[in-house]
């Protein structure tokens, strides 16, 4: 799995913070495994959060959108960050 460059740690936090405001997604994360949550609202919510952060995170957005495997890995990292809050 390809990694998003380490300078994106703050970007991950931005996406995490955006997702943490979504009550439906947080309920799904807190009550399900990662695999189960990936079948719910989480995938679309993370797509939306990445797109919403476009201006300050253009490079990350392009990597995320152009590499589905990278996007899956990023989603797993952000899920784990949200689960661990």
């Amino acid at each position: 799995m390809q990694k998003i460059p380490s300078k994106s740690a703050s970007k991950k936090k931005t996406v995490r913070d955006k997702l943490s405001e979504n009550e439906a997604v947080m309920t799904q994360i807190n009550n399900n495994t990662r695999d189960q949550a990936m079948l719910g609202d989480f995938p679309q919510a993370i797509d939306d959060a990445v797109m919403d952060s476009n201006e300050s995170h253009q490079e990350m957005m392009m990597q995320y959108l152009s590499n589905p495997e990278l996007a899956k890995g990023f989603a797993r990292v952000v899920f784990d960050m949200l689960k661990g809050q």
Side-chain angles (χ1 to χ4, degrees), residues 13-27:
K13 290 178 183 175
T14 300
V15 171
R16 177 201 61 194
D17 293 347
K18 179 85 172 152
L19 287 170
S20 69
E21 297 171 2
N22 186 322
E23 290 181 29
V25 168
M26 290 308 299
T27 298

Side-chain angles (χ1 to χ4, degrees), residues 21-70:
E21 297 171 2
N22 186 322
E23 290 181 29
V25 168
M26 290 308 299
T27 298
Q28 291 171 17
I29 287 172
N30 290 326
N31 294 304
N32 293 287
T33 65
R34 180 189 301 147
D35 290 340
Q36 291 169 323
M38 295 297 178
L39 299 173
D41 296 331
F42 181 75
Q44 184 61 51
I46 195 167
D47 287 352
D48 292 344
V50 169
M51 296 300 286
D52 288 347
S53 64
N54 178 26
E55 290 178 16
S56 60
H57 303 114
Q58 184 74 24
E59 180 181 340
M60 180 187 69
M61 183 184 74
M62 294 308 295
Q63 292 175 5
Y64 179 87
L65 293 173
S66 67
N67 186 331
E69 192 60 34
L70 180 82

